[in-house]
Amino acid sequence: AEAAEAGGGEADGGAAALLPGTDGAGGDSTGGESRGRLALSPRTPALVRIPRLGATPPLLDSLLLLGAQPLLLCFLRGAVWAHELRVVGLPARHAFTGAAPFHSPACQHGLLLADSAGLVRVCALEPHPRESRPTKYDSDWPLSKMLLKGTPHGVVLLPADRAIAVAVSVREQRLDEAMPSEELTEAERAALDEEETRRAARPPPPRWREAYSVRLLDAESWATEASYALREDEWVMCMRLLPLRDTATRAVTHRLVVGTAIQQGEDRMCCGRLLILAPDDSPPSSSSSSPPPKKAKAGGECGGGDADAGSPAATHEAAAAAAAAVVANGE
């Protein structure tokens, strides 16, 4: 509009705006050559700096690369780490055309994301689970660590129960099977001096074993909801989430199947069990107002030859029959 007024004419909706010092006839008021330019809208930058991003300290100094596959470039430890940016509820590769840092009491140290449809979303990085340490972004994948106080051997996600099953072993001392001390004769005892006698009277060295258990963690907070302890010298060999078909109702349910092996040395026959575990979602009693926590119970065993105490034998037979039907049907 200012260019049109300087040229002495009216601004037309279909005409291009002119630079100051030019007229609409193509001549220059100063006697020079006419130079007209179209008023183009500025292009959205492909790189947007997000200086303070994160749910918990330390905050990230990052750059957001817009496009069909948005990337979050984090500057940590003197290097650049690229992470694919995904928004919950949107496809894995959703194109964003604009972004800007955003900070408010309801969304601290977040960002605004705009797509080609003209929608603007207020987003923030997902906070780390309550039981884990702050998420680190100086690796190939965003990394959150949790202290298990044991050795993990397997992890399975249970989407229907919103839980995570983890097989963990803890080192424990054997109190009943210590190494026996050597018996000395009277002649040998007389030959030993006092120091060697005290050394021979010392207790035998302890023996250790690995105690295995299957822990059930909450998928959001990673808090331990339940734990299923295995038998002595029983190790977890594999864990899978498998669909089992009920032979009576033909309904398919997903259960956690754990394969174990009982290790008792080379001089004993090795055996194992097939455990079918499911969270216990029993309704609360009338006397208690708060629901009980989930408990991991054994729905069935195969290969052990006996049932655990407290679980009905009918449940084990039904689970074994369901497992046999699954194997027969090839599912």
Side-chain angles (χ1 to χ4, degrees), residues 181-189 192 196-197 200-201:
S181 58
E182 298 181 357
E183 295 292 338
L184 301 179
T185 62
E186 295 294 337
E188 293 175 343
R189 289 182 181 275
L192 295 177
E196 293 180 350
T197 303

Side-chain angles (χ1 to χ4, degrees), residues 3 7 19 30 42 72 74 102-103 105 107 118 120 131 138 150 153-154 156 163 170-171 182 184 228 260 308 310 320:
L19 291 175
T30 60
L72 187 65
C74 303
F102 181 77
H103 179 71
C107 180
V120 178
E131 298 297 329
D138 53 353
H153 298 273
V156 175
V170 180
R171 195 183 186 194
E182 298 181 357
L184 301 179
Y228 181 82
T260 67
D308 289 343

Side-chain angles (χ1 to χ4, degrees), residues 228-313:
Y228 181 82
L230 272 65
R231 296 176 180 175
E232 186 176 357
D233 296 329
E234 187 175 15
W235 292 11
V236 174
M237 306 304 295
C238 61
M239 285 200 319
R240 294 292 185 273
L241 183 64
L242 299 179
L244 300 181
R245 184 184 299 275
D246 191 351
T247 56
T249 62
R250 306 300 297 175
V252 178
T253 58
H254 289 76
R255 291 291 181 261
L256 179 65
V257 181
V258 182
T260 67
I262 300 178
Q263 307 285 344
Q264 293 182 341
E266 299 179 356
D267 56 342
R268 296 186 182 182
M269 183 181 62
C270 181
C271 60
R273 297 190 299 167
L274 185 63
L275 305 178
I276 302 177
L277 305 179
D280 186 5
D281 295 329
S282 57
S285 58
S286 58
S287 60
S288 176
S289 59
S290 59
K294 293 182 179 180
K295 298 180 180 179
K297 64 178 182 180
E301 300 178 2
C302 301
D306 56 348
D308 289 343
S311 58

Side-chain angles (χ1 to χ4, degrees), residues 86-321:
R86 297 184 180 181
V87 179
V88 179
L90 295 180
R93 294 188 177 182
H94 187 79
F96 292 102
T97 58
F102 181 77
H103 179 71
S104 69
C107 180
Q108 298 184 2
H109 306 294
L111 71 159
L112 300 176
L113 294 176
D115 55 9
S116 57
L119 298 179
V120 178
R121 293 174 173 85
V122 180
C123 304
L125 287 183
E126 186 177 0
H128 64 86
R130 187 179 70 249
E131 298 297 329
S132 71
R133 299 177 181 177
T135 305
K136 295 184 178 181
Y137 295 89
D138 53 353
S139 58
D140 295 336
W141 291 81
L143 181 63
S144 298
K145 293 183 179 181
M146 176 185 176
L147 187 61
L148 291 176
K149 296 182 180 180
T151 304
H153 298 273
V155 57
V156 175
L157 178 63
L158 309 178
D161 302 314
R162 296 181 180 180
I164 303 173
V166 184
V168 184
S169 66
V170 180
R171 195 183 186 194
E172 294 182 352
Q173 181 178 354
R174 293 180 179 271
L175 301 179
D176 53 342
E177 296 182 3
M179 295 180 60
S181 58
E182 298 181 357
E183 295 292 338
L184 301 179
T185 62
E186 295 294 337
E188 293 175 343
R189 289 182 181 275
L192 295 177
D193 55 3
E194 183 178 357
E195 179 64 24
E196 293 180 350
T197 303
R198 287 198 303 265
R199 185 182 306 171
R202 292 176 182 174
R207 296 180 61 188
W208 302 88
R209 72 179 186 93
E210 295 290 334
Y212 280 75
S213 64
V214 179
R215 300 181 187 177
L216 192 66
L217 309 181
D218 183 75
E220 296 182 359
S221 63
W222 291 7
T224 303
E225 295 185 345
S227 180
Y228 181 82
L230 272 65
R231 296 176 180 175
E232 186 176 357
D233 296 329
E234 187 175 15
W235 292 11
V236 174
M237 306 304 295
C238 61
M239 285 200 319
R240 294 292 185 273
L241 183 64
L242 299 179
L244 300 181
R245 184 184 299 275
D246 191 351
T247 56
T249 62
R250 306 300 297 175
V252 178
T253 58
H254 289 76
R255 291 291 181 261
L256 179 65
V257 181
V258 182
T260 67
I262 300 178
Q263 307 285 344
Q264 293 182 341
E266 299 179 356
D267 56 342
R268 296 186 182 182
M269 183 181 62
C270 181
C271 60
R273 297 190 299 167
L274 185 63
L275 305 178
I276 302 177
L277 305 179
D280 186 5
D281 295 329
S282 57
S285 58
S286 58
S287 60
S288 176
S289 59
S290 59
K294 293 182 179 180
K295 298 180 180 179
K297 64 178 182 180
E301 300 178 2
C302 301
D306 56 348
D308 289 343
S311 58
T315 305
H316 293 273
E317 294 176 358

